Amino acid sequence: MASLAEIRAKLKSQEVNRSTSSTGGDNAIYPHWNISEGSEAVVRFLPDKDTNNTFFWTERNMIKLPFAGIKGQTDSRPVTVQVPCMEMYGKTCPVLTEVRPWFKDKSMEDMGRKYWKKKSYIFQGFVTTNPLAEDTQPENPIRRFIIGPQIFNIIRSALMDPEMEEMPTDYVKGVDFRITKTTKGGYADYSTSKWSRRERALDEAERAAIEKNGLHNLGDFRPKEPSEAEIKIIAELFAKSVEGEAYDLEQYGQYFRPAGVAYQGKPQAAVPTASAPAQPVAEAAPTAAPVTESAPAPQPAAAPATAAPAGDSAKRAEDILKLIRSRQAK
């Protein structure tokens, strides 16, 4: 397990790089976004099983591709397909390659934000104070947490504070984290979340749970790296999304499909129902040409796909599509 000093050094190096560089239905994921306004969930983060991971979290980057509906379904509502951003694996992302230049043109910024990668961070640990009335509790009390950028920045800032002398995940001298939910501007706000002031050693039940179940390898919960064929499919889906087409389940269902849509070799889909997103807080896209990666900021859940842009924006989108298609044809 990495030391606090090693974590600080790596976080600092990532800052430098940013400033200079051009699950199943077992309710293992704790839905902290469902806690009521004014309530607080207290959690205790644990280390990653993967000792090669400096941090006690792993980053996940996803891209949301909105579609007007599902092809062949006359009553279909707008749907969204989530695909992994290849930059998560240290590779070139076909979507962000196209989107980055859009931020050089103010008329294209809104469209760029819609297709920009959404960051979240996967943690694991115990829920020590649970304000949710969950119908069932998982057999393994070591839960997973999908943490958005707003809460993550609070976690990160504290780790960089020299007054934090011990690893917060230490079994004896670690500290709990308090997730507090309020509202701001009509959206959930977690800015008052914070680390506990007092150290707390894990109790016997928590230690026994770790001994019995073991820690998770957090990397196992990221999407698997797409193959070369799947990367081409991602590029195709992106182009069709920009063009405002309906999602073709028959053509793409075996690769990527909207949440709640089944695929059995032919379009047999149920229209997804509106539900709480598994990733309620998303990273904001840059507000200018993203030569550097700016610090993430909280965004509300993505809205349903909107109508294609009109006027000059529509013409620009058409030009973008021509460029995308010409690159795909090579």
Side-chain angles (χ1 to χ4, degrees):
M1 181 173 64
S3 68
L4 188 56
E6 289 173 323
I7 286 179
R8 285 173 177 158
K10 190 158 186 177
L11 285 172
K12 192 168 184 179
S13 71
Q14 288 180 346
E15 277 186 343
V16 173
N17 290 337
R18 280 197 295 268
S19 63
T20 60
S21 67
S22 63
T23 83
D26 61 354
N27 75 333
I29 295 175
Y30 180 70
H32 66 271
W33 50 87
N34 286 338
I35 67 177
S36 59
E37 180 183 354
S39 62
E40 179 181 80
V42 181
V43 305
R44 177 61 169 265
F45 295 128
L46 295 172
D48 190 352
K49 181 180 180 180
D50 181 6
T51 56
N52 293 319
N53 182 8
T54 304
F55 306 125
F56 52 94
W57 65 83
T58 191
E59 184 177 307
R60 184 177 69 172
N61 297 332
M62 303 297 290
I63 294 172
K64 294 184 177 182
L65 304 177
F67 289 88
I70 296 178
K71 185 177 180 181
Q73 296 186 6
T74 56
D75 59 346
S76 178
R77 291 174 288 173
V79 296
T80 299
V81 176
Q82 284 202 90
V83 297
C85 173
M86 292 306 298
E87 291 187 357
M88 179 165 50
Y89 313 101
K91 305 284 183 68
T92 300
C93 176
V95 176
L96 296 194
T97 296
E98 301 291 349
V99 170
R100 277 192 168 90
W102 298 1
F103 292 95
K104 297 177 182 178
D105 184 337
K106 287 195 175 296
S107 67
M108 294 299 299
E109 284 184 4
D110 287 344
M111 187 175 240
R113 290 190 189 95
K114 181 166 67 172
Y115 291 102
W116 193 252
K117 62 184 177 182
K118 309 298 186 294
K119 279 188 181 182
S120 62
Y121 304 84
I122 304 172
F123 290 72
Q124 66 179 321
F126 297 110
V127 180
T128 62
T129 300
N130 187 0
L132 293 176
E134 295 184 287
D135 294 334
T136 59
Q137 294 286 335
E139 181 179 347
N140 182 355
I142 300 176
R143 310 286 289 268
R144 298 195 300 278
F145 307 97
I146 308 299
I147 301 297
Q150 186 182 42
I151 297 176
F152 178 76
N153 284 341
I154 296 170
I155 293 171
R156 182 185 179 284
S157 294
L159 291 173
M160 298 299 289
D161 187 339
E163 291 191 1
M164 179 176 278
E165 297 180 348
E166 302 290 343
M167 278 289 293
T169 57
D170 188 86
Y171 290 1
V172 177
K173 297 184 177 181
V175 291
D176 296 337
F177 187 79
R178 299 177 177 276
I179 301 175
T180 306
K181 182 179 180 179
T182 59
T183 57
K184 186 176 182 179
Y187 297 106
D189 182 79
Y190 300 95
S191 60
T192 56
S193 300
K194 59 186 177 183
W195 292 99
S196 296
R197 292 176 179 268
R198 296 180 179 178
E199 297 177 354
R200 183 184 72 82
L202 296 184
D203 61 29
E204 291 184 8
E206 291 168 330
R207 288 174 179 267
I210 295 172
E211 181 68 24
K212 176 183 177 181
N213 300 289
L215 298 172
H216 298 300
N217 185 330
L218 297 176
D220 292 344
F221 300 105
R222 296 201 310 180
K224 75 175 184 64
E225 182 176 343
S227 63
E228 289 299 321
E230 289 170 331
I231 294 172
K232 292 180 180 178
I233 294 296
I234 290 172
E236 287 181 19
L237 285 168
F238 167 62
K240 291 179 182 296
S241 173
V242 173
E243 197 164 0
E245 292 188 12
Y247 170 76
D248 191 331
L249 180 63
E250 185 172 13
Q251 183 176 3
Y252 299 112
Q254 62 180 308
Y255 301 104
F256 306 99
R257 56 185 181 272
V261 173
Y263 173 77
Q264 297 178 345
K266 56 183 179 178
Q268 297 178 350
V271 179
T273 57
S275 59
Q279 186 179 332
V281 184
E283 179 196 24
T287 56
V291 177
T292 60
E293 298 286 345
S294 58
Q299 287 275 54
T306 56
D312 291 341
S313 294
K315 180 63 168 63
R316 292 177 189 277
E318 183 179 343
D319 293 339
I320 289 169
L321 284 168
K322 288 180 181 177
L323 181 59
I324 293 171
R325 293 188 184 113
S326 67
R327 289 183 181 179
Q328 290 177 350
K330 294 180 180 179

